[in-house]
Each structure stands twice: as structure tokens, then as C-alpha cells.
Amino acid sequence: MNQNLRPEHPDPRLQRAAWQSLNGPWRFTFDPGLVGEQERWYQGAARGTRASDSGRDQAEAGRLTINVPFPWESPLSGVARPDYKGAGWYEREFTVPADWQGLSPFLNFGAVDWLARVWINGRLVAENENGYLPFSIDLTPHVRPGETATVTVRAFDIAEASTLVGKQVPRWYTYTSGIWQSVWLEGRAPTHVAAMRIEPQVEHQRAVVRLKLHADRDGPCVVRVHSHDGMFATLEASYELRAGEQQLDFVLPVPGPRLWSPETPYLYEIDVELVPAAGGAGDSVAGYFGMRTISRGAWNGNDHEYILLNGEPVYLRGALDQAFHPDGLHAYPSDDAIRGDVQLAKDLGLNMLRCHIKLNDPRYYYWADRLGLLVMYDFPSPDLDTPSMRRLFEATLARALERDFNSPSIFAWVIFNETWGLTGHDTVDGQRWVRDMLRRVRALDPTRLVEDNSPCRYDHVESDINSWHFYINDYRRVRRHVQSVVDRTYPGSGFNYVGHNDAGDSFVQGTAPLMNSEYGGIAARHGDQDVAWCFKYQTTELRRHAKICGYVYTELADVEWEHNGFVNYDRSGKEFGYGFFVEGMTVADLNAADFVGLDAPPCQTLPAGEELHAPVFVSLWGAPMGSCEVRWRLDFIDRFGERRTTAEGTIPAAPARHGVTDLGVLRCALPGESGLATLAVWLVDPAREIRCRNYVNVEVRAAETPRVERTTGGWALRFAPGDLRETSWPQPFVAPDGGKFSAPGAGWVEYEVALPAEVDMGEIRGARLRFEAAARTASQRIDWPRRVQGFNYPQTETDRKIPSDIVVSINGVVAGEVRLPDDPADARGVLSHHHGVDPGSHGFLVEIALDKQLLAAALAGGSPLRIRFAVPGERTHPGGFTLYGDRLGCHPVAPTLFLLEG
């Protein structure tokens, strides 16, 4: 079994050289009858010794091995009991290193959910009630260097409503119970640093260091501070300490500070040494800090505020991060997984994550600090407002801020989410308590912004960030909603705040920056659907308004039954399909600091030959560029499936930084025939580099496309997917307008195509059958009680394909075989989104050629021609079949048989 689970140091912000991981296999026993303490299992029942007969029997029968630090509900724990709530007992031996002479051994727990009691060699040494915060135990009275001891932990968790459960509630995700963060031994000197807070003061070119010290005796002590890279001079000073706990503050000069930002995440590495003047072991801790400022204020004469990073506005491009993993749940499977999530966000073009109602693993903030990613820090929510909840919450605020203060990535504390647990929020007492919590956090940390409650009920009390949430999947409704929010945001407005209460309190808007802190088209209970379509137009709408200073898309990754992530739950990729319309375009183009947009619907239907009007705007928040240009191009796929460019041009621009610049209305003529047009735009800087891309689609409609059409090279004979002659599938799906046929598994469907009397078959030299088709999954509609009641048409996945082998025959003559790669749904399925039939679903443009000999064999069967699409059951991939018409999918092409003359 792996003895080195999560071997890295748990918190690089306060790290000693003398430490030892206790992660790995522990003995484990469930205690459903809650008899372990009465039976004295802490005396060895997990090993089946030194307990009464009943305790021994129960322990022996249920003895397991669990992998720490993974909650017992998780697969990585090796126990995997998601159905169990109650008590669990952990036990293992450890040896204090013999070379820790003169050091005090401390046993550290990163987090144990929820109530933990700890015994050493059968003696109770600690109790901790909080599932998110660390605690430490001085083992000096119990074990010496070189000795081996047994540690026993009883963890009790029933996720009571008045505790801080976050999303560990029945209506959301799987519980996390027991030890879910690292456990480690640490050798500390008798006089040592218990906590270290480093507050950057950029304006004064210094950092204020606050040490929480424990001294074993009265006496002088030298404090020495080193820089790893010489960025500040070594600081040394003597202090007179008294025995016990105390606080020591000093100023660390940082001349010419290098500022931390997502683009330049510079960290100052620091070592702090305590050297007792009387001799004996000294203490040394390593940490780091970043020099940066967070504030809010107006800019360039605007009457609205922005969030300022290092004195300049920053546009926050974020995603909600639930920080769950399929194998570890609340616990990360590895440090690489933590780094991977942070890097994923950056690769998506984001500069921020909102870590959602969870005090996360300290290494999450470390990687955000190291790689450069801002973090909006949510406190875990309760489910019920009680006096005990309030006491617990207030204590948690202070301890969490102490643990995570030094991370420069954290720019805002979010105290509550969507009024969860604030069951008295409609009362004077409830509103004032929330206000008091905000002011308490401000007092504890004046260097960051504080949000009272990230709202979905428009019920702020007092906040440094005026945020709001929405989940709407309709372009026109989204447009109206965002515009309404912008219009109703101004000082003194009662919108998005609780307003005036009976005690005379006035809780209305001030000048706090307006920010969206949750949005999406596919909400939690909408099933597994494409998010590429709605993300593009919703983000465009948000970027269109200068008053909005950022957004948080829901969400970074899928979670269990919730499928609105940029990636799947296992972090495998989803395909967004933007590159089908604009070469090279990815999600990162829409999350870029600089943004080009078209104030037009994501798709609209317009008559052929009409002039398209599309206002162009640029939202510029990246590096200064001065003048630039917006390149544009109108591409067109016609009714035959052929692509061409019909118009292109450039728009010179000099957009204002930290704002939105309108570039006027782009006008271009649409082709005079039916098809699908794409108006694409690129923002190009003076160095000819593309900063970002965007596009909208237009369904162009002329007169109804004829079933029989004379072409320059012969004839085009079309048929509709819904006009089938016969099928073996018992219950296929046929779209109401006949524009789509689909069925899962093996089977066949047959169509009839009559040969026009005008066709001279003597002039026909061959044929081509062109159609858009895809596989079809077996089950699309879902009904999961208490979880999801919605429609399930999964977004295209990079690593999970559902291919299907089809055989096409005409009058019984096999014309060809093709493997359809998948049953996809993403932004490529623009016509399906536009017309609301299996939104986002699309196929692949397939062409099967028949030479003259093969066509002659088929024609021997007479007219009409019977065209059959079959998915043989004996083939490797009997993945079903979908056939698209010219108004669904991604190609405006009906299934067409081309008869070729010449």
C-alpha cells in the first residue's frame, strides 16, 4: 500500500525543516452504535486489544485500513462509505525522530470533519470542533525523541445544520467526514513561532511582520529575518520575552518592491529565526509573502468604482470552484491535482477563482500564489441560524484569517453565500449580525475587500463588492436582465440590498463595485448539456457594460450530478467547438483580459441578401496597446455544404484602457441564398498579435430550398430526415418539423427519392450522397429525484467518444460504409441551439461517392430510389444514428443525392 500519500509539506507559508508526514494507511473502525468511548476503544479496540469483549468483537469485525488524508466517503480512502454518518476511529503508531533532541514534538491535523478527539497511548490529549481548520498538539508530556507512540482519533460527523457544512448537505454533494487534510509531526523549539502574519505596505516599501510566539521561559531572544534571494536586507533585533504566549511586531523594509499580480506573481521568500540568548535549541520557520495592494475606487472620472489591484483597475475573469474531486471529494488526490486546477484556470484565460463555501487545503492558496491566480475566499455556509452557529462562525472567521492571511492571491473574503443558513435574515437582528460579521472581518484584515453575502435574492446588507447571481439560458432575457442590473446600480438604490428595516437601518447601495459572482445558462439541476453556447453570449453581454468589473462563471469543473463546468468532474476536457467557426478560437479568447464583442444575438434568422448590422465594442483590460484594429470576416456555408468568405475588412481603433469602447456598427450584406453565415471578429494589437476572437452566426433564408434542384454539374435531390419510408427502430425520435431523425443502438431507416422525369440518365456519370449525421446515445432524458430533473444531451467530451458504424445502401446496393465519430453537442450545433431541438447537437458532414458502375447497379432496382442508413448490430460500434436536416445541427444541408452529369 502507498505509504507516501500527499508527501509534500502541508503549508509552505509556515514550514519547518524538522517535520514528518503521517499520511498513509491507518487502522480504522466505524462506530455506528457510538459505543467506542464507553468501550474505551482508545485503549486499542481498533487493534482488537485492551477492550471489553463487546468492544473487541465489534472492532475485530469492522477493522479496516483507511488511507489518510482522504475522507471515509471517498474512493481514495480505501473505505468508500458515502452512506455512513457518525463516528469513525483511526489509529496508527509513529516514532518521534531521535535527532529531534531539544525539540518539542507537535502533532498537527490539517482538518478533521467535524468533532475530533485525540488520544496518545490511551490518554486524551485534545479535542477540536471544526471540520475546516487545523489544530496542533504538544506531545512533549507524552512521547520523547526516539520513542514510539500510538495515536487514536475519534472523528464524529453528522453534518448538523448549525455547523459549517458548505455543500456537504443532502441536496448537494457527498459528505466529507473524518481526516481530510494532512497529518504531520513537527519538531519545534521550546521557544517557537506559533503563527506568522505578514502585511504588505507597498506605499511605505515595507511589510509589517506579526509573530505569535510561545516562549518556555522569560529571557532575551534574537529575532533574525533572512531573504532567500537578497530582495531585502537581513533584519536582526533582540527582544525580551516572557514565558507563555505573546505577540511580537516589527517592520521589514522592502525597498523598490516587486509587485505581485496574476501576470507577475513574485513572492518574497522569508526565513524567521528565534535564537534564545541563554542557549538551547532555536526555532526557524520558512514562509513567503507578496507585495500588492487591494482596494476599491473610481477611475478616470467614472461615477462607479472598480476593484483595484496595485492601484489600477483589474477586470476579474473568474469561475466558481467547488474544489471537489471524484476520488477524494473534499480532499485533493495529490499536490499535482491542486496545481493542475490552478493551471487549468489560467489556461482557460481566467485570472481568478471563487473557491466556493470551503476553507480549502492550504496548498491551494500556495499554488494560486505561486502561479498567479486571484482567489475570492468563501467561508463555509451553515444551514441554520442558531446561537451555537454564530459562536462557531465568529471563531472560525478569526482562525481562518490567521491561517490564510499571508497568501497574496486572496483578494476578498465572502462571508455568506446566497443567504444559506441565514434563517433570520429578514429580521433586524439577523441583518445587523451579518453587518457585524462584515465589520469584524474588516477589522481583522483591513488589506482586503469583504463581501457580506454573495446574493441570489438581492439582499446585501453592507459590502465592498456589489455582486449578484443569475442563471438564464435565453439571449434576450439575459440581455434584458444584465441591462436592468446595470441601470438599477447607483448610490442610494435599494436594488440588490435589503433596504430599510423596522429599526430604522438603511441598507442600500453605496459605490461598491458591481460584479457578477455567479452566472450560467445551465444551472445545477438542468442536466448534462452544452455550456459553450450560453457561455459565449452571456460573457459577451457582461463585457459590454463598463460598470461591471468582473464575473464568476459557474463553474470550473463538473461536480457529481452537476454538469456545467468548463471540464468534466475528472478534469478531462470538453469540446466547445468555437474553432469550427473561427480558426484557433478557444474558451480562453472569451476569458481574455481584452475582449472584442458584437452586440448581436448569438444566432438570428435573416432574409437572404439583407444587410447585417452588428455594433462592435472592445473591453480593454490587458497591457496597454494604444492603437489597434478589429479585423472582421463574413464566412458562409451554403445549402450544398460548401464554405466561402463573402466579405472582410478592418476597423481601426484606439480603445480606452479599463473600460468599454464602442466602435460603431459593422454593416455587411448577407449572401442572396440560404445557408449559415458567421461574422467573425479579431482584436489585433500593433505587433500584429491576436489578443482575442469572437463571432456570431446568422441563419440566412431565401425561398424554401427545393427538393429537386438543377445545378451546374447535374441535379440535387433532397429529402427530409423526418420523411422516412420505413424503419426497424421501434421508437425513434423525429423532430416536429421533420428536421431530425435519431435512434440508439442497431437498426435501420429507409427513405425514398424519386428521379425527376427531366433527368437523362444517359448523361449521369456518377453520384454523391452528402448528409450531416452522428451517432446517438441510448439515453438522453433523465429524472433523478432530488437531484436533476432535466434534459441530458452531454456536451462533447475530448476523451469520451460514442462512435457508430453505418452502412449506406441504395436499392439494396451497398454504396459505402462510414464510422461516425461521436454524438456531439457544443457550439457547433448552432442551428439546434437556435431552433431549440436537442440544443447544441450536431453531426459530421459525410459524403459517399458512387461511380457509374455502382450507380448503374443501384438504378437497376428502378425508381424511386430507396436510400437506407443501417447500423448493423454485429459491427464494433453499433452506437445509433442521427440524421440532420438543413435547419438543425451545424451545416445548413439537407440529406442530398447529387447526380453528376458529364
Side-chain angles (χ1 to χ4, degrees), residues 570-622:
D570 63 2
R571 277 49 172 183
S572 59
K574 296 182 180 182
E575 296 179 20
F576 283 68
Y578 302 143
F580 179 79
F581 299 107
V582 183
E583 183 178 1
M585 181 173 170
T586 68
V587 173
D589 286 283
L590 299 173
N591 285 322
D594 301 321
F595 188 94
V596 60
L598 295 159
D599 185 10
C603 186
Q604 56 187 313
T605 300
L606 294 175
E610 185 167 296
E611 188 174 65
L612 171 63
H613 296 176
V616 183
F617 69 91
V618 171
S619 171
L620 196 69
W621 291 79

Side-chain angles (χ1 to χ4, degrees), residues 639-640 674 701 703-711 714-725 734-740 750-756 758-759 769-770 864-865 867 883-887 893-899:
R639 64 192 182 282
F640 303 110
S674 294
R701 296 299 293 177
E704 194 68 28
T705 302
R707 288 294 185 96
V708 178
E709 182 178 2
R710 191 75 163 90
T711 68
W715 295 85
L717 312 180
R718 298 182 177 88
F719 56 96
D723 292 344
L724 59 146
R725 173 181 177 272
V734 178
D737 64 351
K740 182 176 183 178
E750 192 170 273
Y751 298 86
E752 285 189 349
V753 176
L755 293 173
E758 306 95 313
V759 175
L769 181 63
R770 182 176 292 176
L865 302 178
I867 300 176
L883 187 65
Y884 294 85
D886 61 350
R887 304 198 73 181
V893 178
T896 305
L897 180 66
F898 293 93
L899 300 179

Side-chain angles (χ1 to χ4, degrees), residues 534-549:
C534 53
F535 175 72
K536 182 170 73 72
Y537 75 74
Q538 289 177 331
T539 306
T540 299
E541 281 302 305
L542 291 169
R543 293 299 296 259
R544 196 168 61 85
H545 296 277
K547 193 181 288 186
I548 299 173
C549 71

Side-chain angles (χ1 to χ4, degrees), residues 477-489:
R477 287 180 59 209
V478 167
R479 181 181 171 82
R480 289 194 300 268
H481 171 78
V482 174
Q483 185 67 60
S484 173
V485 169
V486 170
D487 291 344
R488 289 187 285 173
T489 298

